[in-house]
Amino acid sequence: MKIEYAVIILALCIAFSGFWIGNALKQDNVEMKITEDTLSISEAADYLKISEDSIKKIIIQEEKTIEQGGAFSMMFPYSKIYDKYVFSKKSLDQWVQEKVKTQSVYSVEGIKSR
């Protein structure tokens, strides 16, 4: 009789935990939702009207500047997921606005703000 109760309790615990985990996975903070705002590197390059290589150079230049003790009010907004760059239109717009305000110049010689 005691074993039957233990089996029933175990089954209920498994069912409850499955339900609980399933609901947690449905939450927005767990699911990754790709929206129209999300861009690949080629789409970001088209959006900014620059080349993919220019985007990569900007990222590298900013990383080098940070390593050398420099700072930015806003770095180029990107994420890298399994060697693929991902961008947000809204973040790119904010970055461009910030660079226009600071009159930043990205060139072969480096990054300068006026």
Side-chain angles (χ1 to χ4, degrees), residues 2-77:
K2 291 182 183 180
I3 294 175
E4 292 171 357
Y5 289 122
V7 170
I8 292 172
I9 291 172
L10 180 62
L12 289 172
C13 289
I14 291 171
F16 176 74
S17 62
F19 176 76
W20 184 56
I21 292 170
N23 280 339
L25 291 175
K26 290 180 185 177
Q27 298 294 321
D28 285 345
N29 61 347
V30 177
E31 288 182 9
M32 186 172 119
K33 293 185 178 180
I34 303 294
T35 65
E36 292 178 11
D37 183 58
T38 306
L39 304 172
S40 67
I41 191 166
S42 62
E43 292 169 329
D46 289 343
Y47 185 71
L48 295 173
K49 297 181 179 30
I50 61 175
S51 69
E52 291 180 33
D53 285 339
S54 293
I55 290 176
K56 291 176 183 177
K57 286 177 186 175
I58 289 169
I59 292 168
I60 291 168
Q61 285 178 328
E62 288 185 348
E63 288 173 353
K64 284 182 182 178
T65 301
I66 294 294
E67 286 174 8
Q68 295 170 353
F72 292 96
S73 56
M74 183 177 185
M75 290 187 64
F76 193 81

